[in-house]
Amino acid sequence: MRNSIGNRFAALVLGLGLLLASALTASAQNYVIRSGDILQVDVLEDSSLNRRLLVLPDGSINFPMVGAIRAAGRTVEQVRRNLTTALTPNFASAPTVYVAIDELAEIEETSNLMDVYAIGEFEEPGRIEVKPGTTLLQFLAEAGGLSRFAADKRIELHRTDRHTGRVNTYRFNSRTPAGSATGISGGTRLAPGDVVEAPQRRLFE
């Protein structure tokens, strides 16, 4: 009798464990990726491609042989399919690609205003209070626009990683506000403490 009860209890625990694992897997599959998340990408056929990727402020990731692809606003499965499709021409057959969330972006505290800093060739440089969700292009307008001496092709966004203290720098060309594979777009949303730098234009630039 005791063995029967024990077996039933063990079966119940196992069933609950499987149910929880299934729920967590479904949750991960439905999770919508955000800027600041870190993804782990593995390619079974070529381990040299395996790497951790930061989802950039403009929502993209950069992967060898592929370049920049959209990640933010998509699920892990959607990103996996996109990478697989983009990598396939480089392999004899479609590669086996695995994508997982390695680290979640830290959720910023909601406030009415946040501080962002404009340095260099701005008409109104300094600390500027803007609303959460303000984009890079909107911030340039908040700062009074660029001065006539600004290198508008080489604007830089400096963002400090709150976990490591490392400052990451992203390039923005105001003449191509939609962005490119080598830079962020004007629609990139700023975060508290961001520093936007407009360097001085070089001779004949």
Side-chain angles (χ1 to χ4, degrees), residues 57-99:
D58 67 348
S60 69
I61 57 173
N62 285 289
F63 198 77
M65 302 183 187
V66 175
I69 68 167
R70 184 76 183 173
R74 295 178 175 174
T75 65
V76 167
E77 176 59 20
Q78 287 174 323
V79 172
R80 187 196 68 77
R81 288 201 302 265
N82 289 347
L83 281 173
T84 300
T85 299
L87 284 170
T88 294
N90 300 288
F91 292 83
S93 59
T96 306
V97 180
Y98 298 98
V99 180

Side-chain angles (χ1 to χ4, degrees), residues 127-158:
R127 179 176 63 85
I128 300 175
E129 292 184 331
V130 297
K131 294 180 179 179
T134 296
T135 67
L136 181 52
L137 275 179
Q138 290 170 338
F139 178 77
L140 296 182
E142 293 271 0
L146 302 172
S147 78
R148 63 190 182 92
F149 301 106
D152 56 358
K153 292 183 179 180
R154 296 187 290 112
I155 298 170
E156 294 182 341
L157 168 62
H158 306 286

Side-chain angles (χ1 to χ4, degrees), residues 39-43 49-53 61 63 79 83 87 97-100:
L39 307 181
Q40 177 65 43
V41 179
D42 296 306
V43 181
L49 295 174
N50 298 350
R51 62 200 62 218
R52 296 172 79 241
L53 298 172
I61 57 173
F63 198 77
V79 172
L83 281 173
L87 284 170
V97 180
Y98 298 98
V99 180

